Amino acid sequence: MTTLTAPGTTATPTRRPSATRGLVRTVLLLHRPALYLWAGLFVALAALLLWLYGPGTDAAAAAWREYDRCTKATCAYDQDAILRYKSYSQYASIALAFLPFLVAAWAGASLIGREMETGTAQLAWTQSVSPARWLAVKLAVPAALVTVGTSVLVVLHRGMWVRGQGRIDNAKGWTDTFVFHANGPTTVALALSGLAVGALAGIRLRGSLSALVMSAVWTVGVRAALSLALPYLWPTVRTVTSLTHDGPTSLGITVHDGLLTSTGARLADPQCGSSHSSECSTLYHRLDAVSFYTDSHPQSHYWPLQLMATGLVLVLTALVLLVTFRLLKRDTGSAPLTKGAAL
């Protein structure tokens, strides 16, 4: 029996499921092992950082107070609490610093590289999904998870680190390379950079193993280049001290140091020491040196340096994404492929 539509009425159009929404579900289902691994890593690191923020810091701080009050040859204090805090906080900082390498390796090997290698990507392009939309969704889903998860871990790490400052004598300072990045948004930016590079490697090499290697090498290179460029991303503060000191005095991250002559010229530090030594005094007189100088970054420069470095990495990430999409468009065009073309 056929149902007729009454005259003057409009048939309700059939609502078709969104291709993008379906692709998001497909990405989550296809990469469930990576999602579970990321969730497990996030929970483990968050739990460790929360423990360090609370009982870990309190126990270590109490042990240090007992140690500092000690006036005898032998004193009772909780040395294990101090060592636990030192080890676990260092593990947490290193784990956060290496998250971008894990993201890059996974993006290159599994997210893009394997699908290009096995033909899964080409099959998806025949399902009314353009290659550009496919890549955009493939990157947007993990980018959101990585950004939110890494940001939370960075906030927890910074809270833990701040709470230990001034209370735990062997706590790492802000200039430590792992602490510096784990306390700020450069970790998030480096993770997103790793994701973008993994996508580029997967599209360009179309192989999981080769894309994994390229992604990891690129991320190592970016991290190394950032470490070299970091001290020059913000103007330094010059500190001038007397030659009676043992050497130049740094405020934090040292960029340049040495000797200043009476004409204002800069000389390398001969590593002699204080002018109280007659040998050093003679050397400084012969060099016409009048003081030590240091161009360095104090702790107040932490956020300017962090934001400049983060912006630099994000610009580089945007350029990598632009190249990736252009490369994909050159190879496939912008329209969805037909089944025959995919085969």
Side-chain angles (χ1 to χ4, degrees), residues 100-115 117 194-195 197-221:
F101 301 100
L102 296 178
V103 173
W106 170 75
S110 180
L111 181 67
I112 304 296
R114 187 175 63 184
E115 295 200 22
E117 186 177 37
L195 182 65
V197 170
L200 176 59
I203 295 295
R204 178 66 181 86
L205 301 177
R206 296 175 180 262
S208 55
L209 181 59
S210 55
L212 184 153
V213 173
M214 177 181 171
S215 303
V217 170
W218 172 277
T219 307
V220 169

Side-chain angles (χ1 to χ4, degrees), residues 76-290:
Y77 66 96
D78 192 354
Q79 184 181 25
D80 290 340
I82 294 175
L83 295 178
R84 274 196 303 270
Y85 179 90
K86 179 183 178 181
S87 298
Y88 292 168
S89 61
Q90 190 170 11
Y91 296 154
S93 300
I94 293 174
L96 262 177
F98 276 91
L99 276 181
F101 301 100
L102 296 178
V103 173
W106 170 75
S110 180
L111 181 67
I112 304 296
R114 187 175 63 184
E115 295 200 22
M116 297 294 294
E117 186 177 37
T118 60
T120 307
Q122 291 83 344
L123 180 61
W125 301 340
T126 67
Q127 309 300 316
S128 301
V129 177
S130 68
R133 178 184 292 186
W134 170 84
L135 181 58
V137 174
K138 292 284 288 185
L139 291 176
V141 174
L145 295 174
V146 167
T147 300
V148 173
T150 309
S151 298
V152 171
L153 293 176
V154 165
V155 170
L156 290 176
H157 186 281
R158 180 161 184 83
M160 175 273 295
W161 179 82
V162 168
R163 195 161 186 266
Q165 293 302 294
R167 303 175 64 197
I168 300 175
D169 293 1
N170 63 342
K172 294 290 186 180
W174 71 277
T175 59
D176 178 79
T177 182
F178 294 120
V179 170
F180 183 93
H181 291 292
N183 272 349
T186 53
T187 297
V188 182
L190 286 167
L192 293 176
S193 174
L195 182 65
V197 170
L200 176 59
I203 295 295
R204 178 66 181 86
L205 301 177
R206 296 175 180 262
S208 55
L209 181 59
S210 55
L212 184 153
V213 173
M214 177 181 171
S215 303
V217 170
W218 172 277
T219 307
V220 169
V222 170
R223 177 63 182 272
L226 185 63
S227 297
L228 293 175
L230 184 69
Y232 305 96
L233 296 179
W234 197 257
T236 57
V237 174
R238 173 162 293 184
T239 305
V240 178
T241 53
S242 169
L243 292 176
T244 57
H245 287 69
D246 291 332
T249 302
S250 176
L251 299 176
I253 298 177
T254 299
V255 181
H256 300 292
D257 62 12
L259 298 171
L260 287 177
T261 68
S262 60
T263 60
R266 297 183 299 176
L267 301 175
D269 182 11
Q271 304 292 325
C272 185
S274 171
S275 61
H276 288 306
S277 163
S278 59
E279 181 181 352
C280 292
S281 178
T282 302
L283 173 63
Y284 295 147
H285 180 73
R286 187 171 68 249
L287 294 174
D288 190 30
V290 294

Side-chain angles (χ1 to χ4, degrees), residues 4-88:
L4 301 178
T5 303
T9 62
T10 304
T12 304
T14 303
R15 187 175 182 180
R16 302 181 64 182
S18 168
T20 301
R21 192 177 305 166
L23 187 55
V24 170
R25 286 197 297 268
T26 300
V27 171
L28 293 175
L29 289 173
L30 188 61
H31 297 284
R32 276 181 298 179
L35 182 62
Y36 295 153
L37 179 61
W38 173 248
L41 183 61
F42 172 82
V43 170
L45 266 177
L48 175 59
L49 290 169
L50 286 172
W51 179 84
L52 285 168
Y53 178 85
T57 295
D58 291 338
W64 273 111
R65 284 197 302 271
E66 292 296 325
Y67 179 82
D68 291 337
R69 284 199 295 261
C70 179
T71 57
K72 299 180 297 182
T74 57
C75 294
Y77 66 96
D78 192 354
Q79 184 181 25
D80 290 340
I82 294 175
L83 295 178
R84 274 196 303 270
Y85 179 90
K86 179 183 178 181
S87 298
Y88 292 168

